[in-house]
Amino acid sequence: MRTRTTALTLLVAGSLLAASGCAKSDDTDDGQADGPAKPRTVTAVSGCGKGSWTDPADLDPDRAPARCAPGTPAPRPLPEKRRLTIATGTLSAEYVAPLQVAVEKGEFKKEGLDVELKVLPTPDALPLLAKGDVDAQWAAPEAAVMNGITSGFDIRWTAGNFSPDRRSKSGLWVRLKKDESAAHVPMAGRKLGTMIGKGSVIAYPMNKALNKHGGGLDEIRFQQLGSADVLTALQNGGTDAAWLLDPVWRKVDGDRRYAFLGGQPRGEPLGGLLFGPNLLKKDPDAGVALLRAYIRTVNTYFAGDYKADRTFARDLAKLLKTDEEVLLSTPPLRMDWEIRAGTTDRLQDAYHAAGVSEGEKVPEARTVDRSLYEEAVGHQ
């Protein structure tokens, strides 16, 4: 498993390196890639007051996410319409809902943006993002992204997506042996079934949970399984532990034979929007407009418990092409466009522990750009 995961990471990095040459050549032609970025004017935004920004260093799991008033920040249409492509690994997952709703409700169009959501696996989308063939990616700063940035790619994490509700138990579950309890489960040497590789951002919370129980990513035997097989393997003894996503964990919740060891940290998004050179340098006005529409969608439709509105939940289930009762069976996600300080450092520590990182740790200044969403809400 380790060899296969490492090979995939290297393959993606190699593809990105090839794309980098093309991207740098293209940028040199238009003369916009080199030199410092021009300073941008940031002004106060109506409806986005003190609560529209939180200190990135605040890692309190109960931190209230940033919010503006519903319907804000108001649209500021671009002088000329712009067509943008956002790559995403899926259109059916709940964490993609703000993008889906922004398209459905015309929030992007209000900014003068014609946005296409294009389904592409992360390994396929990253080279396109680096080259500028897609404008943004709804994904996460995974090991392949960090390795690509190490190779010189102009890719930044520019907005968060969500963190889990306190009631969520999406994460690491284990079959308890005799005399074990959730408070103490020796994990070293056990087999862990997952459909998510060690190069995923889930490596960070997974490693954190394992270390609490005498294990670690380097002490676990990984078993790659399909999404439909993870739960079955855990229940029939084919694997000792599993990372269960929404709503699958509900199948074992309350069963004393299993214990929940931990999931994604509350209050800390691990993914969201990645921008490439198109929106970072060539057309940052369009980048701010995209983020403005995304933030407005969160403030208008996802500010709190959006599942409490049964009409909206019904419409959302149709949009995501999922069963309404399945959607309602798990707590709402806490949508959050901000990025916490140090997240990419913690992710890279986990990638190093998993053996899928390359070179030295990339500093946050090269992995994160908060300036565009701060401009969208008027934070100076």
Side-chain angles (χ1 to χ4, degrees):
M1 172 59 195
R2 177 168 181 166
T3 301
R4 184 167 58 190
T5 304
T6 304
L8 176 59
T9 304
L10 291 171
L11 177 61
V12 172
S15 298
L16 282 169
L17 188 58
S20 176
C22 299
K24 290 177 181 177
S25 174
D26 292 343
D27 289 343
T28 301
D29 290 343
D30 62 28
Q32 298 187 55
D34 298 325
K38 294 180 181 178
R40 297 182 60 81
T41 302
V42 179
T43 58
V45 173
S46 178
C48 294
K50 184 178 179 181
S52 66
W53 180 87
T54 67
D55 183 353
D58 184 357
L59 300 179
D60 187 337
D62 294 318
R63 169 188 61 87
R67 292 288 183 262
C68 301
T72 62
R76 297 178 59 185
L78 298 171
E80 296 182 7
K81 288 187 177 182
R82 179 83 154 79
R83 181 175 176 80
L84 300 180
T85 300
I86 303 176
T88 175
T90 178
L91 289 175
S92 60
E94 191 174 338
Y95 65 84
V96 189
L99 294 187
Q100 292 271 62
V101 171
V103 171
E104 180 74 12
K105 300 293 185 179
E107 298 296 347
F108 290 127
K109 287 187 176 180
K110 293 175 185 177
E111 301 286 351
L113 300 175
D114 180 7
V115 171
E116 176 190 8
L117 302 180
K118 189 171 185 177
V119 177
L120 285 171
T122 295
D124 295 339
L126 276 175
L128 300 178
L129 180 66
K131 187 179 178 181
D133 288 343
V134 299
D135 303 287
Q137 187 170 352
W138 188 253
E142 298 180 342
V145 176
M146 296 295 104
N147 292 336
I149 293 174
T150 298
S151 300
F153 298 109
D154 200 7
I155 296 173
R156 299 289 185 276
W157 185 17
T158 56
N161 51 9
F162 76 94
S163 66
D165 185 275
R166 61 168 51 251
R167 296 165 291 173
S168 175
K169 294 182 181 179
S170 172
L172 184 60
W173 286 81
V174 63
R175 282 177 60 92
L176 296 174
K177 297 180 180 179
K178 187 178 180 180
D179 298 327
E180 289 182 342
S181 69
H184 180 65
V185 186
M187 292 298 294
R190 296 200 186 191
K191 187 187 300 182
L192 192 153
T194 176
M195 63 179 184
I196 304 168
K198 290 188 286 185
S200 164
V201 291
I202 300 303
Y204 156 42
M206 188 182 294
N207 197 43
K208 188 176 180 180
L210 289 171
N211 283 329
K212 289 181 180 179
H213 295 273
L217 292 176
D218 58 341
E219 299 177 85
I220 294 294
R221 293 179 293 146
F222 277 81
Q223 183 179 16
Q224 193 84 23
L225 298 169
S227 59
D229 302 323
V230 175
L231 177 63
T232 301
L234 179 65
Q235 291 175 320
N236 66 19
T239 191
D240 302 308
W243 189 271
L244 302 181
L245 303 176
D246 289 335
V248 179
W249 59 267
R250 295 299 300 267
K251 300 289 185 180
V252 294
D253 188 31
D255 189 328
R256 293 185 178 181
R257 295 174 297 174
Y258 306 93
F260 173 61
L261 302 186
Q264 176 180 333
R266 290 191 294 114
E268 184 176 13
L270 299 182
L273 279 165
L274 306 178
F275 281 5
N278 289 353
L279 299 182
L280 289 172
K281 290 186 176 179
K282 291 183 179 180
D283 195 355
D285 286 344
V288 174
L290 191 158
L291 291 175
R292 191 164 48 239
Y294 164 52
I295 292 170
R296 184 170 60 253
T297 302
V298 171
N299 290 323
T300 306
Y301 302 100
F302 298 94
D305 184 358
Y306 51 91
K307 295 184 181 182
D309 183 338
R310 291 300 295 265
T311 299
F312 179 72
R314 186 178 305 113
D315 293 342
L316 187 59
K318 291 180 181 177
L319 195 61
L320 298 176
K321 295 181 173 57
T322 190
D323 183 85
E324 181 182 350
E325 293 307 313
V326 172
L327 181 69
L328 293 173
S329 69
T330 56
L333 303 178
R334 189 166 72 165
M335 302 303 183
D336 188 351
W337 65 77
E338 292 190 311
I339 300 169
R340 299 294 88 195
T343 296
T344 55
D345 291 332
R346 291 184 285 277
L347 288 171
Q348 290 179 87
D349 288 341
Y351 301 149
H352 178 76
V356 294
S357 62
E358 300 171 7
E360 298 296 320
K361 184 185 291 187
V362 183
E364 187 179 85
R366 289 181 56 201
T367 63
V368 174
D369 186 343
R370 299 181 182 86
S371 67
L372 299 182
Y373 74 66
E374 290 175 338
E375 180 179 337
V377 299
H379 174 75
Q380 295 180 324

